[in-house]
C-alpha cells in the first residue's frame, strides 16, 4: 500500500536524481550522443568564476533570507501569542503572502521599486536618499530578491514558530516570573529554550528551500547584469537551456543536492536514530 | 428477407451519398490538423500578418482550412524553446524561426534538410533570395532554414529632440554622434529625462556596429577573434564612458531589444542603432509618442561620412525534424516566401530577403527607408560566424563589457579577457 | 499572564498593525491598481483616490484570450495533484502508522531524504523521458510531478494524524469482518479528515502557484497561470501593468480565500509534518 507513494518518488525523484548523476559524468549536447568524461564537468564548473559567483550569491541570499525570516517569524509568533484583538483576522493577513505565487510577488515588488516611478523609489528619491537600483546594481538586486523572498516565506516560518510558542505551558513562564525573572530573562531562558527544536527545524527546512531560489532572480534580472546576480539554480538553467551543456548543468545539480544533504545532515541523523531505534521493537 | 427494388435503390443512394463523405473525411481527419504552430519572435507575426499591407497567411489559411497559432518569445527565448522542443521525440512546433547567430552545426541535426523539399516542391524564384543569407543557414551542405527576414541596422534619431537640443542637422560621422549624444542627454521642458543613446545589451548585435564603425571586428568569418584590437577597444571604451556620463540609461545593462524599442517610442532615448524595419514601430501613432519624428539613415564610420559595414542578421524558417506536419509546414513556408508575400511583409516593416522587393512602389511608399536599407545590405556583415559555443561566446563578451561599464575592469583588459576566454571555444580551422 | 500596561498594549498593537501592513500592502496595492485607469498607475506622486475601472480586465480578456484557458489548466492540475498526493499519502501514512518493520522504516527514511532534493535538478533528466512517453506539455505530467514532490510531507502528516486514531476501532471492525478497504473508507477516512485537509493544503497552494516546472515542461496545452503572468511581465512592447495587475488579481483571489479559510489546517499540518515524526 505504500507502493503508490513510493512509485511517485522513485519515478520522479530518485530515478531522475540517479540519471542526473550519470549525465554529470558525460559530455552531452544536442546532436551528439553522450560521451563519458568522468569528473571533467565537475572540474569545469569548479573552475568557472561564474559558478563560484553563483555559489556566493546563493550563500548570501540564503543566509539573509533564513535569518531575516527567523527574526521576523519569531517576533510575529511571540507577538501573536499574547493578547491580540481579532487574532484570526490578523493571522489571515499575515498568512496572505504564502498564497501568492513568486511570479506575482515579483510583479508586486517590481511595481513598488520600478526605477524612478515606483512608489518606494519615488519616496526615497524625494527624500534625497537615492534609489534601490535593482536593475543596474547587483547588490541592490540581490537585496530586492532577499526582501521579496522573506516577504513571501515569512508566513511559513511564522506558523511553525507560532505552533511551537503556543504550546509553551503557561506554568513554566509564571513560575519563572514568580521567581523574579524579567520579561527578557523569561524570553531568553524559558521560551527560547522550549521552542529551540522547532526553531532549528524551521531553520533547516528554510535553508534547504531558500537555496533553490530561481523565479525571483530569473524574473527580476535573469542573473544579470554581467551574470553578477546569478544564483545556483539560474546557473544550472543557463548551462542546460542556453549553452546546451547538459553535463555541466547536471554537475551543478549534483552540487546543489550535495549541499542540501549536508545542510540536512543533523536532522537526518537525528531522524535516523529515532526511527531505527524503533525498528527493533 | 425480401429486398424490394425500391429499397435497394434507396440503400444504394444512401451508400452513394455517404461513401464520398466518409472516406475523404477519414483521410482529412488523419492528414489535416486543426492548426499549425509557429514559434517565432513577435516581429515575425507582425510582419507576416500585419494590417498595413495585408496578411501573408490569409489565402493559405483559407485554402487549407487550417488555423495558425503563433507563439512568440524574446530573441533568446525563442531559441531556447525551439531547441528544447526540437530535441524531443515529438515536438509542438511546426515551423520555427531561428537566427543565424544562435545556430551552429550541432543544432543542424534538429531540423529538416530543406534542400530536399526545395527540389521536390520549389519556392518561387528561389535564387533571388540572397545567397549569403542562404549560406548563413547552411551547415555542411545542409540548408536548414529558408531566409525570411534580414534585420540590418541603421542609425535612428529623434528629430524633435535634435531640434530641442539646438541641432539643425543630423550627425553624419561617428564623432558627431558622440558629440550629439552628450547634448541629447537632457531634461525636456515637461521634466522628462532623455538619454542620448539607447543600446541593446542582451547580445553583441548592437555593439558590433560601433566596433566596425571604428574599423575593428569582433570575430572574423574565418574565426579569428580581434576584440582586443584598437577598433573594438575603442567601442568598449565609448560605451563605458557613455554609461558613466549618463548618456546610456542607468538600467541599460538589462536592455533587450524590446526595452530599446520602448525607450524610443516613449521618448526616453534620442538615438539608437536598430534594424531599419523598426522605423514602422517608432513612427506608429498607436504605440509611439513621436510618430513622424524618428528618422533612420545608414550608420556612419568614424572619421568619415561613409556608411559603416552594418550588422545584419538573418531569420529563417526551419522545420524541426520532429514536427508532425512537415509537408504542410513546407507549404506554408513556400507561401510566405513568394514574391508577393515578400513584398507584403517588406511593406509591413520586414527586411526582405529578395532585393527585388525594394523596387516595388508599395514598399517604397510604406517603407521609405528602403533605399538606405538596400545600400546597407550590400556591405552588411553577420554579428559573428556560427559555431557550437556561440551562445557562450556572446555571453562572455557582454559579461566582460558590462564589467568594464561598471568600472570593474579597464576596457583593454576586459577585451583581452574576452579573447582569452573565447579563443579555446572557437573551431579550429 | 503579567498584566498588560497601556504602553505595552499600544506598542503591541502598533507592531501588529505594522506586521499586517507589511504582509498585506503589496497584495492590496496590486489589487487596487488593477482597477485604476491606465494613466494613473504610475502617476507621480501616486494617487490614493481614483475612479475604479474594469478596463484592464476587459483588455486581459481581449489581449490574452488564452488566460482563462490557462487558469482552467491550473485548476485541473491543482485538483489532480492534490487528489493523487492525498490518496498516495493516506495509504502510505496508514501503513507507516500501523506497521513497523525494518524495510518500512528504511522506505520511510528514504522519503525524508528525498524531500531534500531541489526540484529543478530533475528537469534535465526528465526531459527526454517525458518525451518518449509523449506526456510533454500535458496535465498528467504536472500532476505527477507536483504530487511526487509533496507526497513525502503529506505522508508524514497523514501518519501523524492516523496514529492518533485508536487501534481498537479498527480491531473491532475487523472482528466484525470488515475488509481493509472498508476499514480505510469507513473508519480512517472520516477520522483523519482533518489530516487529509492539512496534507492537501500544501499541495494545493504549491500546485496553483508553481512556476519552474510549468516554465520548462509546458508550452501551450497545459500552460498554467503563473507562466502566463510571467509572459505578460516580459512582453515585447513594454509591460502593460494594468493587464498584469488584473491577471495577478484574478490568479491570487481564489487561492488567497482558500488559504484564509483553511488556516487552521495549515498550522496543524506544519506541526505534524515537520515538528513531529
Amino acid at each position: 500500500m505504500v507502493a503508490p507513494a513510493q512509485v511517485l518518488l522513485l519515478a520522479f525523484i530518485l530515478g531522475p536524481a540517479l540519471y542526473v548523476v550519470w549525465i554529470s559524468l558525460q559530455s552531452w549536447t544536442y546532436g551528439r550522443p553522450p560521451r563519458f568524461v568522468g569528473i571533467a564537468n565537475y572540474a569545469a564548473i569548479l573552475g568557472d568564476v561564474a559558478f563560484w559567483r553563483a555559489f556566493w550569491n546563493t550563500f548570501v541570499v540564503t543566509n539573509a533570507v533564513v535569518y531575516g525570516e527567523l527574526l521576523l517569524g519569531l517576533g510575529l509568533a511571540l507577538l501573536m501569542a499574547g493578547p491580540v484583538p481579532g487574532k484570526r483576522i490578523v493571522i489571515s493577513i499575515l498568512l496572505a503572502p504564502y498564497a501568492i505565487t513568486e511570479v506575482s510577488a515579483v510583479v508586486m515588488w517590481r511595481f513598488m521599486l520600478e526605477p524612478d516611478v515606483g512608489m518606494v523609489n519615488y519616496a526615497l528619491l524625494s527624500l534625497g536618499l537615492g534609489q534601490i537600483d535593482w536593475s543596474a546594481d547587483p547588490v541592490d538586486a540581490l537585496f530586492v530578491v532577499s526582501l521579496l523572498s522573506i516577504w513571501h516565506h515569512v508566513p511559513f516560518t511564522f506558523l511553525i514558530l507560532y505552533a511551537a510558542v503556543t504550546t509553551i505551558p503557561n506554568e513554566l513562564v509564571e513560575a519563572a516570573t514568580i521567581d523574579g525573572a524579567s520579561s527578557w530573562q523569561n524570553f531568553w531562558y524559558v521560551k527560547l529554550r522550549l521552542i529551540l527544536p522547532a526553531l532549528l527545524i524551521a531553520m533547516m527546512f528554510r535553508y534547504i528551500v531558500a537555496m533553490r531560489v530561481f523565479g525571483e532572480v530569473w524574473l527580476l534580472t535573469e542573473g544579470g547584469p554581467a551574470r553578477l546576480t546569478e544564483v545556483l539554480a539560474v546557473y544550472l538553467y543557463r548551462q542546460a537551456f542556453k549553452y546546451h551543456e547538459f553535463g555541466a548543468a547536471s554537475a551543478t545539480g549534483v552540487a546543489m543536492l550535495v549541499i542540501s544533504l549536508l545542510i540536512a545532515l543533523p536532522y537526518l541523523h537525528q531522524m535516523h536514530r529515532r526511527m531505527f531505534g524503533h525498528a527493533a521493537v | 428477407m425480401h429486398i424490394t427494388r425500391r429499397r435497394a435503390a434507396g440503400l444504394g443512394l444512401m451508400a452513394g451519398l455517404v461513401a464520398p463523405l466518409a472516406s475523404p473525411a477519414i483521410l482529412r481527419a488523419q492528414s489535416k490538423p486543426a492548426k499549425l504552430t509557429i514559434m517565432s519572435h513577435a516581429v515575425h507575426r507582425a510582419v507576416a500578418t500585419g494590417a498595413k499591407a495585408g496578411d501573408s497567411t490569409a489565402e493559405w489559411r483559407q485554402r487549407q482550412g487550417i488555423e495558425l497559432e503563433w507563439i512568440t518569445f524574446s530573441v533568446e527565448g525563442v531559441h531556447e524553446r525551439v531547441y528544447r522542443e526540437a530535441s524531443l521525440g515529438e515536438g509542438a512546433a511546426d515551423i520555427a524561426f531561428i537566427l543565424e547567430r544562435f545556430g551552429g552545426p550541432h543544432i543542424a541535426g534538429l531540423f529538416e534538410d530543406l534542400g530536399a523539399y526545395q527540389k521536390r516542391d520549389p519556392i518561387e524564384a528561389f535564387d533571388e533570395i540572397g545567397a549569403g543569407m542562404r549560406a548563413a543557414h547552411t551547415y555542411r551542405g545542409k540548408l536548414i532554414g529558408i531566409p525570411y527576414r534580414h534585420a540590418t541596422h541603421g542609425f535612428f534619431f529623434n528629430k524633435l529632440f535634435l531640434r530641442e537640443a539646438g541641432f539643425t542637422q543630423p550627425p553624419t560621422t561617428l564623432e558627431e554622434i558622440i558629440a550629439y549624444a552628450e547634448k541629447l542627454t537632457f531634461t525636456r521642458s515637461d521634466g522628462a529625462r532623455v538619454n542620448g543613446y539607447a543600446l541593446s545589451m542582451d547580445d553583441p548585435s548592437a555593439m558590433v556596429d560601433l566596433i566596425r564603425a571604428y574599423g575593428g571586428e569582433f570575430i572574423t568569418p574565418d574565426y579569428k577573434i580581434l576584440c582586443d584590437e584598437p577598433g573594438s577597444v575603442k567601442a568598449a571604451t565609448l560605451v563605458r564612458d557613455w554609461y558613466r556620463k549618463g548618456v546610456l540609461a542607468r538600467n541599460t545593462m538589462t536592455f533587450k531589444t524590446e526595452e530599446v524599442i520602448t525607450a524610443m517610442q516613449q521618448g526616453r532615448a534620442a538615438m539608437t542603432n536598430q534594424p531599419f524595419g523598426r522605423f514602422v514601430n517608432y513612427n506608429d501613432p498607436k504605440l509611439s509618442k513621436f510618430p513622424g519624428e524618428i528618422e533612420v539613415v545608414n550608420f556612419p564610420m568614424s572619421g568619415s561620412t561613409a556608411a559603416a559595414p552594418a550588422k545584419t542578421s538573418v531569420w529563417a524558417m526551419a522545420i524541426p525534424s520532429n514536427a508532425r506536419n512537415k509537408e504542410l509546414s513546407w507549404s506554408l513556408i513556400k507561401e510566405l516566401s513568394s514574391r508577393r508575400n515578400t513584398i507584403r511583409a517588406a511593406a509591413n516593416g520586414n527586411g526582405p530577403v529578395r532585393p527585388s522587393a525594394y523596387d516595388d512602389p508599395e514598399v517604397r511608399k510604406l517603407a521609405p527607408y528602403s533605399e538606405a536599407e538596400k545600400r546597407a545590405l550590400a556591405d552588411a556583415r553577420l554579428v559573428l560566424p556560427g559555431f557550437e559555443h556561440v551562445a557562450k561566446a556572446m555571453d562572455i563578451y557582454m559579461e566582460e563589457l558590462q564589467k568594464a561599464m561598471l568600472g570593474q575592469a579597464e576596457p583593454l583588459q576586459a577585451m583581452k579577457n574576452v579573447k582569452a576566454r573565447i579563443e579555446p571555444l572557437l573551431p579550429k580551422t | 499572564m503579567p498584566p498588560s500596561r497601556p504602553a505595552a498594549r499600544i506598542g503591541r498593537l502598533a507592531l501588529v498593525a505594522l506586521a499586517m501592513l507589511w504582509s498585506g500592502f503589496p497584495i492590496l496595492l496590486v489589487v487596487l491598481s488593477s482597477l485604476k485607469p491606465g494613466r494613473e498607475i504610475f502617476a507621480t506622486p501616486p494617487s490614493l483616490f481614483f475612479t475604479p475601472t474594469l478596463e484592464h480586465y476587459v483588455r486581459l480578456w481581449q489581449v490574452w484570450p488564452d488566460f482563462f484557458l490557462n487558469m482552467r489548466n491550473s485548476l485541473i492540475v491543482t485538483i489532480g495533484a492534490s487528489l493523487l498526493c492525498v490518496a498516495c499519502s493516506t495509504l502510505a501514512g496508514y501503513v507507516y502508522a500501523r506497521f513497523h518493520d525494518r524495510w518500512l522504516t528504511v522506505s520511510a527514511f528514504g522519503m525524508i531524504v528525498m524531500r531534500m532534493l531541489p526540484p529543478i535538478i530533475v528537469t534535465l533528466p526528465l526531459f527526454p523521458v517525458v518525451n518518449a512517453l509523449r506526456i510533454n506539455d500535458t496535465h498528467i505530467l504536472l500532476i505527477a510531478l507536483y504530487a511526487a514532490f509533496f507526497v513525502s510531507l503529506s505522508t508524514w502528516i497523514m501518519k501523524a494524524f492516523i496514529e492518533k486514531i485508536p487501534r481498537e476501532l479498527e480491531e473491532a471492525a475487523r472482528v466484525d469482518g470488515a475488509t481493509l478497504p472498508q476499514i480505510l473508507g469507513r473508519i480512517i477516512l472520516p477520522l483523519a479528515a482533518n489530516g487529509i485537509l492539512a496534507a492537501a493544503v500544501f499541495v494545493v497552494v504549491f500546485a496553483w502557484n508553481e512556476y519552474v516546472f510549468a516554465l520548462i515542461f509546458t508550452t501551450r496545452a497545459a500552460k498554467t497561470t503563473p507562466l502566463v503572468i510571467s509572459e505578460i511581465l516580459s512582453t515585447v512592447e513594454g509591460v502593460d501593468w494594468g493587464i498584469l495587475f488584473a491577471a495577478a488579481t484574478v490568479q491570487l483571489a481564489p487561492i488567497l480565500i482558500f488559504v484564509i479559510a483553511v488556516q487552521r489546517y495549515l498550522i496543524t499540518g506544519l506541526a505534524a509534518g515537520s515538528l513531529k515524526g
Side-chain angles (χ1 to χ4, degrees), chain C residues 21-38:
Chain C
L21 196 67
W22 156 266
S23 298
F25 181 70
I27 304 174
L28 195 64
L29 185 67
V30 161
V31 172
L32 285 181
S33 299
S34 73
L35 300 166
K36 259 192 194 179

PDB file of all heavy atoms in Angstrom, chain C residues 21-38:
ATOM      1  N   LEU C  21       0.466  45.504   7.769  1.00  0.00           N
ATOM      2  CA  LEU C  21       0.771  46.364   6.632  1.00  0.00           C
ATOM      3  C   LEU C  21       1.831  45.729   5.748  1.00  0.00           C
ATOM      4  O   LEU C  21       1.697  45.644   4.526  1.00  0.00           O
ATOM      5  CB  LEU C  21       1.272  47.715   7.161  1.00  0.00           C
ATOM      6  CG  LEU C  21       1.280  48.857   6.154  1.00  0.00           C
ATOM      7  CD1 LEU C  21      -0.143  49.212   5.787  1.00  0.00           C
ATOM      8  CD2 LEU C  21       1.980  50.074   6.737  1.00  0.00           C
ATOM      9  N   TRP C  22       2.872  45.253   6.367  1.00  0.00           N
ATOM     10  CA  TRP C  22       3.966  44.602   5.638  1.00  0.00           C
ATOM     11  C   TRP C  22       3.453  43.441   4.794  1.00  0.00           C
ATOM     12  O   TRP C  22       3.816  43.274   3.647  1.00  0.00           O
ATOM     13  CB  TRP C  22       5.010  44.148   6.654  1.00  0.00           C
ATOM     14  CG  TRP C  22       5.890  43.019   6.247  1.00  0.00           C
ATOM     15  CD1 TRP C  22       5.689  41.705   6.509  1.00  0.00           C
ATOM     16  CD2 TRP C  22       7.096  43.082   5.495  1.00  0.00           C
ATOM     17  NE1 TRP C  22       6.697  40.938   5.997  1.00  0.00           N
ATOM     18  CE2 TRP C  22       7.579  41.755   5.369  1.00  0.00           C
ATOM     19  CE3 TRP C  22       7.827  44.128   4.932  1.00  0.00           C
ATOM     20  CZ2 TRP C  22       8.761  41.465   4.689  1.00  0.00           C
ATOM     21  CZ3 TRP C  22       8.996  43.822   4.259  1.00  0.00           C
ATOM     22  CH2 TRP C  22       9.453  42.502   4.140  1.00  0.00           C
ATOM     23  N   SER C  23       2.586  42.617   5.432  1.00  0.00           N
ATOM     24  CA  SER C  23       2.118  41.424   4.727  1.00  0.00           C
ATOM     25  C   SER C  23       1.124  41.759   3.640  1.00  0.00           C
ATOM     26  O   SER C  23       1.151  41.204   2.559  1.00  0.00           O
ATOM     27  CB  SER C  23       1.460  40.447   5.703  1.00  0.00           C
ATOM     28  OG  SER C  23       2.383  40.015   6.650  1.00  0.00           O
ATOM     29  N   GLY C  24       0.214  42.668   3.970  1.00  0.00           N
ATOM     30  CA  GLY C  24      -0.925  42.849   3.077  1.00  0.00           C
ATOM     31  C   GLY C  24      -0.777  43.947   2.049  1.00  0.00           C
ATOM     32  O   GLY C  24      -1.419  43.892   1.001  1.00  0.00           O
ATOM     33  N   PHE C  25       0.119  44.918   2.324  1.00  0.00           N
ATOM     34  CA  PHE C  25       0.163  46.064   1.433  1.00  0.00           C
ATOM     35  C   PHE C  25       0.462  45.732  -0.027  1.00  0.00           C
ATOM     36  O   PHE C  25      -0.246  46.193  -0.926  1.00  0.00           O
ATOM     37  CB  PHE C  25       1.160  47.105   1.970  1.00  0.00           C
ATOM     38  CG  PHE C  25       1.235  48.328   1.122  1.00  0.00           C
ATOM     39  CD1 PHE C  25       0.178  49.218   1.072  1.00  0.00           C
ATOM     40  CD2 PHE C  25       2.346  48.581   0.340  1.00  0.00           C
ATOM     41  CE1 PHE C  25       0.227  50.344   0.282  1.00  0.00           C
ATOM     42  CE2 PHE C  25       2.411  49.703  -0.460  1.00  0.00           C
ATOM     43  CZ  PHE C  25       1.350  50.593  -0.486  1.00  0.00           C
ATOM     44  N   PRO C  26       1.509  44.942  -0.292  1.00  0.00           N
ATOM     45  CA  PRO C  26       1.788  44.675  -1.707  1.00  0.00           C
ATOM     46  C   PRO C  26       0.608  44.055  -2.440  1.00  0.00           C
ATOM     47  O   PRO C  26       0.337  44.392  -3.591  1.00  0.00           O
ATOM     48  CB  PRO C  26       2.970  43.698  -1.655  1.00  0.00           C
ATOM     49  CG  PRO C  26       3.614  43.933  -0.345  1.00  0.00           C
ATOM     50  CD  PRO C  26       2.505  44.293   0.579  1.00  0.00           C
ATOM     51  N   ILE C  27      -0.093  43.160  -1.747  1.00  0.00           N
ATOM     52  CA  ILE C  27      -1.226  42.490  -2.385  1.00  0.00           C
ATOM     53  C   ILE C  27      -2.337  43.501  -2.638  1.00  0.00           C
ATOM     54  O   ILE C  27      -2.894  43.588  -3.737  1.00  0.00           O
ATOM     55  CB  ILE C  27      -1.751  41.350  -1.494  1.00  0.00           C
ATOM     56  CG1 ILE C  27      -0.629  40.371  -1.182  1.00  0.00           C
ATOM     57  CG2 ILE C  27      -2.912  40.654  -2.145  1.00  0.00           C
ATOM     58  CD1 ILE C  27      -1.003  39.301  -0.204  1.00  0.00           C
ATOM     59  N   LEU C  28      -2.637  44.284  -1.599  1.00  0.00           N
ATOM     60  CA  LEU C  28      -3.682  45.281  -1.740  1.00  0.00           C
ATOM     61  C   LEU C  28      -3.352  46.248  -2.870  1.00  0.00           C
ATOM     62  O   LEU C  28      -4.211  46.631  -3.672  1.00  0.00           O
ATOM     63  CB  LEU C  28      -3.789  46.054  -0.416  1.00  0.00           C
ATOM     64  CG  LEU C  28      -5.043  46.899  -0.246  1.00  0.00           C
ATOM     65  CD1 LEU C  28      -6.256  46.001  -0.224  1.00  0.00           C
ATOM     66  CD2 LEU C  28      -4.946  47.714   1.037  1.00  0.00           C
ATOM     67  N   LEU C  29      -2.079  46.604  -2.920  1.00  0.00           N
ATOM     68  CA  LEU C  29      -1.629  47.536  -3.950  1.00  0.00           C
ATOM     69  C   LEU C  29      -1.958  47.046  -5.338  1.00  0.00           C
ATOM     70  O   LEU C  29      -2.521  47.755  -6.170  1.00  0.00           O
ATOM     71  CB  LEU C  29      -0.115  47.718  -3.809  1.00  0.00           C
ATOM     72  CG  LEU C  29       0.517  48.746  -4.714  1.00  0.00           C
ATOM     73  CD1 LEU C  29       0.042  50.118  -4.336  1.00  0.00           C
ATOM     74  CD2 LEU C  29       2.032  48.678  -4.605  1.00  0.00           C
ATOM     75  N   VAL C  30      -1.604  45.803  -5.587  1.00  0.00           N
ATOM     76  CA  VAL C  30      -1.821  45.264  -6.923  1.00  0.00           C
ATOM     77  C   VAL C  30      -3.312  45.121  -7.226  1.00  0.00           C
ATOM     78  O   VAL C  30      -3.776  45.448  -8.318  1.00  0.00           O
ATOM     79  CB  VAL C  30      -1.084  43.919  -7.079  1.00  0.00           C
ATOM     80  CG1 VAL C  30      -1.630  43.130  -8.237  1.00  0.00           C
ATOM     81  CG2 VAL C  30       0.385  44.163  -7.284  1.00  0.00           C
ATOM     82  N   VAL C  31      -4.063  44.671  -6.239  1.00  0.00           N
ATOM     83  CA  VAL C  31      -5.493  44.505  -6.469  1.00  0.00           C
ATOM     84  C   VAL C  31      -6.153  45.848  -6.763  1.00  0.00           C
ATOM     85  O   VAL C  31      -6.926  45.998  -7.707  1.00  0.00           O
ATOM     86  CB  VAL C  31      -6.165  43.825  -5.253  1.00  0.00           C
ATOM     87  CG1 VAL C  31      -7.667  43.827  -5.411  1.00  0.00           C
ATOM     88  CG2 VAL C  31      -5.659  42.412  -5.089  1.00  0.00           C
ATOM     89  N   LEU C  32      -5.815  46.853  -5.952  1.00  0.00           N
ATOM     90  CA  LEU C  32      -6.404  48.169  -6.191  1.00  0.00           C
ATOM     91  C   LEU C  32      -5.939  48.757  -7.514  1.00  0.00           C
ATOM     92  O   LEU C  32      -6.722  49.344  -8.248  1.00  0.00           O
ATOM     93  CB  LEU C  32      -6.032  49.122  -5.044  1.00  0.00           C
ATOM     94  CG  LEU C  32      -6.782  48.897  -3.734  1.00  0.00           C
ATOM     95  CD1 LEU C  32      -6.347  49.915  -2.698  1.00  0.00           C
ATOM     96  CD2 LEU C  32      -8.281  48.985  -3.956  1.00  0.00           C
ATOM     97  N   SER C  33      -4.640  48.586  -7.800  1.00  0.00           N
ATOM     98  CA  SER C  33      -4.120  49.173  -9.028  1.00  0.00           C
ATOM     99  C   SER C  33      -4.730  48.543 -10.258  1.00  0.00           C
ATOM    100  O   SER C  33      -4.751  49.146 -11.325  1.00  0.00           O
ATOM    101  CB  SER C  33      -2.596  49.034  -9.091  1.00  0.00           C
ATOM    102  OG  SER C  33      -2.005  49.706  -8.019  1.00  0.00           O
ATOM    103  N   SER C  34      -5.218  47.314 -10.103  1.00  0.00           N
ATOM    104  CA  SER C  34      -5.829  46.680 -11.275  1.00  0.00           C
ATOM    105  C   SER C  34      -7.118  47.382 -11.657  1.00  0.00           C
ATOM    106  O   SER C  34      -7.639  47.198 -12.752  1.00  0.00           O
ATOM    107  CB  SER C  34      -6.095  45.204 -10.999  1.00  0.00           C
ATOM    108  OG  SER C  34      -7.185  45.071 -10.103  1.00  0.00           O
ATOM    109  N   LEU C  35      -7.614  48.199 -10.722  1.00  0.00           N
ATOM    110  CA  LEU C  35      -8.851  48.908 -11.004  1.00  0.00           C
ATOM    111  C   LEU C  35      -8.601  50.372 -11.352  1.00  0.00           C
ATOM    112  O   LEU C  35      -9.540  51.121 -11.587  1.00  0.00           O
ATOM    113  CB  LEU C  35      -9.783  48.834  -9.781  1.00  0.00           C
ATOM    114  CG  LEU C  35     -10.184  47.429  -9.361  1.00  0.00           C
ATOM    115  CD1 LEU C  35     -10.804  47.430  -7.979  1.00  0.00           C
ATOM    116  CD2 LEU C  35     -11.170  46.850 -10.364  1.00  0.00           C
ATOM    117  N   LYS C  36      -7.322  50.755 -11.359  1.00  0.00           N
ATOM    118  CA  LYS C  36      -7.000  52.149 -11.650  1.00  0.00           C
ATOM    119  C   LYS C  36      -6.934  52.351 -13.156  1.00  0.00           C
ATOM    120  O   LYS C  36      -6.406  51.510 -13.868  1.00  0.00           O
ATOM    121  CB  LYS C  36      -5.591  52.461 -11.099  1.00  0.00           C
ATOM    122  CG  LYS C  36      -5.549  53.182  -9.804  1.00  0.00           C
ATOM    123  CD  LYS C  36      -4.133  53.676  -9.541  1.00  0.00           C
ATOM    124  CE  LYS C  36      -3.998  54.089  -8.090  1.00  0.00           C
ATOM    125  NZ  LYS C  36      -2.670  54.548  -7.760  1.00  0.00           N
ATOM    126  N   PRO C  37      -7.381  53.506 -13.622  1.00  0.00           N
ATOM    127  CA  PRO C  37      -7.217  53.791 -15.051  1.00  0.00           C
ATOM    128  C   PRO C  37      -5.737  53.810 -15.406  1.00  0.00           C
ATOM    129  O   PRO C  37      -4.906  54.221 -14.612  1.00  0.00           O
ATOM    130  CB  PRO C  37      -7.809  55.186 -15.205  1.00  0.00           C
ATOM    131  CG  PRO C  37      -8.607  55.416 -13.983  1.00  0.00           C
ATOM    132  CD  PRO C  37      -8.066  54.557 -12.901  1.00  0.00           C
ATOM    133  N   GLY C  38      -5.409  53.351 -16.614  1.00  0.00           N
ATOM    134  CA  GLY C  38      -4.025  53.159 -17.030  1.00  0.00           C
ATOM    135  C   GLY C  38      -3.091  54.312 -16.733  1.00  0.00           C
ATOM    136  O   GLY C  38      -1.999  54.133 -16.238  1.00  0.00           O
TER     137      GLY C  38
END
